[in-house]
Amino acid sequence: MIQTPQNTASVPHDPPTEMASRRTGMAFQRTRLAADRTLMAVIRTSLSLISFGFTIHKMFDSLKESHVILHAGAARNFGGSLLGIGMVVLLMGIIYHAWFMRALRRQRISMGEAGLVHGESPFPPSTTLVAAVLLFALGLLAAINMVFRNGPYG
């Protein structure tokens, strides 16, 4: 089903202009999907740092508690540092993604109002952003567990 743009007075109905308008709309979708892929890469990197840091911290903490090693402070601090770096990277990725998507939506709306692009295709919220926020919350729980030795992973 093909719909016509709402502001039909400013949009010529010649085929080249119509084709360019549709291509521009598809370009917005491709850009949105590319931003999601970028956030997925940030998630993979930060999740690796968070999980590796948590594992190092817990492993050396367990070795110290079972009296296999006497001092585990440096290794535990290294694990905590990896977790912290992973959390900062994830938070920066979330903030950048939200800023970029907001700017992309504004640009699409302004171009739609000018009749340069059709606003027919949906521009849904990013499920990747939702996953990133949930992973950030999970990382916070891991950090709380490491610092206070209390929480769901104790």
Side-chain angles (χ1 to χ4, degrees):
M1 178 169 108
I2 298 175
Q3 298 176 356
T4 57
Q6 293 176 357
N7 189 0
T8 56
S10 65
V11 179
H13 291 288
D14 61 317
T17 304
E18 180 71 21
M19 183 65 87
S21 179
R22 293 198 181 279
R23 285 182 181 158
T24 304
M26 290 186 289
F28 273 104
Q29 292 295 342
R30 287 190 299 273
T31 305
R32 183 184 67 83
L33 292 172
D36 277 350
R37 286 190 301 273
T38 302
L39 183 59
M40 284 184 223
V42 169
I43 289 171
R44 282 190 300 273
T45 303
S46 61
L47 187 59
S48 296
L49 288 166
I50 291 168
S51 61
F52 193 57
F54 182 75
T55 302
I56 288 174
H57 185 275
K58 283 307 217 179
M59 183 183 75
F60 280 95
D61 203 26
S62 297
L63 289 174
K64 185 179 180 217
E65 287 178 5
S66 62
H67 304 292
V68 174
I69 58 174
L70 296 176
H71 303 287
R76 287 192 334 227
N77 291 342
F78 178 68
S81 297
L82 286 177
L83 185 134
I85 291 168
M87 294 290 293
V88 168
V89 167
L90 185 58
L91 184 62
M92 288 171 47
I94 289 170
I95 291 169
Y96 176 76
H97 183 79
W99 171 81
F100 182 80
M101 294 301 284
R102 189 175 316 117
L104 189 64
R105 279 192 176 96
R106 280 192 211 127
Q107 182 69 28
R108 185 173 181 248
I109 288 169
S110 69
M111 289 182 77
E113 289 170 351
L116 299 173
V117 67
H118 294 298
E120 300 166 0
S121 58
F123 211 64
S126 172
T127 55
T128 308
L129 182 60
V130 172
V133 170
L134 291 174
L135 287 172
F136 185 78
L138 189 67
L140 279 178
L141 289 175
I144 288 169
N145 178 263
M146 289 169 61
V147 172
F148 298 111
R149 298 181 192 269
N150 189 7
Y153 308 114

